[in-house]
């Protein structure tokens, strides 16, 4: 992608003024770190509240009489069973049951749903959904919104001080608190948190109020990555790809049992055959020995040097105090306590299979 094609956040001037260091991600120029640095940004989010500009992600409003049927075809989802304001983590799958994208779908009212898609896949997701919608009485409308996330134990209190009440909004729910606003409570950090899609003028006003609160700091993409990795959450394009199915990814909890058996979503037959024979590999947590982080792409071998899998995400965990990683290993090796070795530039680093997450989730569920 050339520099001219790079997309810029609507609030880029605010990030520049805050001293952000920018880098390319999924075709966007994104703030990677701020002057505090990744370690402090990460810990501030776990202890207080981190503010993230996630406007690179895409919001789609999908509506019409056939919208539930469309979503049931596009995703392994029972859209009609969602209560109003309920959100569900789900996927677009290809015919081989590979993950085109992972998404969050929220029911806004009887005939309208909000779909939140990842940055790198937004254009492909829109094409995919529009093509499917041609067979249903449903419309796909991409929204032009600034999208912010505020994450951490003080997130609700900081929003309250900024004039936004969150008390009735529970984990994995989403509402429209004002015209052209969408607010959900999910969180890609393992902490309690909120995502707010809103017009740019409103976003500038809200950011100004939030940053007057010393509990709130801008957080860049580098700390967003270390936070989600500690929380054992997948990054599409690394831990999930069109070559990886939900069973291998350890994500079957997101697909209701009755749909596994009888759903007519794209990829259903392929997924059923994978489940019948068992996936050949599984996503696991990986804890390297020592202080050397093991990065995405590192090959994994067993004690005899046989190929055992590969690392898909890795780095240092500021909250855990040690390196953390995730990856895929042969099914027989996907048991906590099994020792493997990662090849890091020709050096074999011992690495133990471990359960996820590395830090406990602290979502507000009730």
């Amino acid at each position: 992608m050339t520099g001219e094609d790079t997309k810029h956040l609507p609030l880029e001037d605010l990030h520049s003024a805050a001293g952000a260091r920018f880098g390319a991600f999924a075709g966007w120029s994104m703030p990677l770190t701020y002057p505090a640095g990744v370690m402090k940004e990460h810990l501030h989010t776990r202890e207080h509240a981190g503010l993230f500009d996630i406007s690179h992600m895409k919001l789609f409003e999908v509506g019409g009489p056939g919208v539930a049927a469309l979503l049931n075809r596009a995703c392994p989802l029972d859209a009609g069973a969602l209560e109003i304001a309920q959100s569900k983590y789900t996927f677009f799958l290809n015919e081989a049951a590979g993950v085109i994208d992972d998404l969050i779908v929220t029911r806004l009212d009887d005939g309208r749903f909000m779909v939140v898609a990842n940055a790198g896949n937004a254009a492909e997701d829109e094409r995919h959904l529009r093509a499917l919608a041609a067979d249903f009485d449903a419309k796909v409308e991409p929204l032009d919104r600034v999208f912010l996330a505020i994450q951490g134990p003080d997130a609700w209190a900081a929003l309250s001080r900024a004039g936004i009440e969150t008390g009735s909004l529970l984990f994995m729910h989403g509402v429209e608190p004002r015209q052209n606003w969408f607010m959900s409570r999910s969180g890609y950090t393992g902490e309690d948190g909120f995502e707010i899609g809103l017009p740019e003028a409103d976003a500038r006003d809200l950011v100004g109020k939030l940053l007057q609160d010393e509990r709130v700091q801008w957080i860049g993409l580098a700390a967003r990555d270390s936070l989600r990795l500690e929380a054992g959450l997948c990054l599409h394009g690394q831990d999930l790809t069109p070559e990886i199915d939900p069973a291998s990814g350890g994500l079957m909890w997101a697909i209701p049992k009755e749909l596994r058996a009888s759903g007519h979503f794209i990829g259903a037959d392929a997924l059923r055959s994978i489940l019948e024979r068992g996936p050949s590999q599984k996503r696991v947590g990986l804890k390297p020995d020592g202080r050397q982080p093991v990065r995405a792409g590192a090959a994994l071998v067993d004690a005899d040097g046989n190929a055992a899998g590969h690392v898909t995400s890795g780095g240092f965990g500021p909250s855990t105090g040690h390196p953390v990683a995730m990856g895929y290993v042969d099914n027989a090796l996907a048991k906590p306590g099994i020792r493997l070795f990662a090849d890091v530039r020709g050096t074999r680093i011992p690495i133990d299979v471990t359960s996820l997450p590395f830090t406990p989730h602290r979502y507000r569920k009730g």
Side-chain angles (χ1 to χ4, degrees), residues 130-213:
R130 279 191 192 283
L132 290 174
D135 295 332
F136 296 87
D137 189 1
K139 265 199 7 234
V140 179
E141 188 187 348
L143 301 180
D144 185 20
R145 300 282 185 271
V146 169
F147 203 26
L148 302 171
I150 180 164
Q151 304 277 306
D154 291 338
W156 69 272
L159 282 172
S160 177
R161 185 185 282 185
I164 296 170
E165 287 308 323
T166 61
S168 60
L169 187 63
L170 294 179
F171 178 65
M172 289 307 281
H173 283 71
V175 294
E176 296 172 292
R178 303 178 189 181
Q179 192 177 4
N180 295 325
W181 284 44
F182 171 69
M183 182 162 83
S184 57
R185 189 171 201 162
S186 59
Y188 193 52
T189 57
E191 302 296 328
D192 182 27
F194 303 85
E195 301 77 36
I196 306 174
L198 69 177
E200 183 181 332
D202 293 351
R204 288 178 179 274
D205 180 52
L206 178 59
V207 164
K209 287 179 181 161
L210 287 171
L211 291 175
Q212 285 168 8
D213 191 326

Side-chain angles (χ1 to χ4, degrees), residues 266-288:
I266 294 169
D269 292 340
L271 186 57
R272 281 193 266 277
S273 64
I274 290 164
L275 291 170
E276 263 168 47
R277 65 174 186 265
S280 58
Q281 52 173 5
K282 275 269 177 74
R283 180 174 64 96
V284 294
L286 296 162
K287 182 178 181 293

Side-chain angles (χ1 to χ4, degrees), residues 230 291 316-323:
E230 284 185 346
R291 308 288 290 173
F316 189 77
S319 306
T320 60
H322 59 72

Side-chain angles (χ1 to χ4, degrees), residues 305-358:
N306 303 309
H310 65 286
V311 175
T312 52
S313 279
F316 189 77
S319 306
T320 60
H322 59 72
V324 291
M326 277 197 296
Y328 285 81
V329 300
D330 295 344
N331 217 355
L333 302 173
K335 299 181 186 75
I338 286 191
R339 172 148 287 199
L340 300 172
F341 298 87
D343 179 11
V344 178
R345 293 184 297 280
T347 304
R348 283 199 351 168
I349 291 182
I351 191 164
D352 291 327
V353 175
T354 182
S355 52
L356 294 167
F358 294 99

Side-chain angles (χ1 to χ4, degrees), residues 50-116:
L51 181 60
F52 303 78
D53 190 338
I54 53 171
S55 304
H56 60 309
M57 297 180 72
K58 194 69 196 173
L59 295 163
F60 298 99
E61 190 179 304
V62 191
V67 65
L70 164 63
L71 290 171
N72 292 353
R73 177 70 183 134
C75 310
L77 178 72
D78 184 353
L82 290 182
E83 293 172 12
I84 288 175
Q86 189 181 356
S87 303
K88 184 92 174 74
Y89 177 73
T90 188
F91 321 96
F92 287 154
L93 302 179
N94 59 28
E95 290 291 359
V99 179
I100 297 171
D101 201 5
D102 60 335
L103 321 148
I104 291 185
V105 174
T106 303
R107 185 168 204 167
L108 299 174
D109 58 35
D110 283 345
R112 284 190 315 130
F113 290 78
M114 189 70 79
V115 176
V116 179

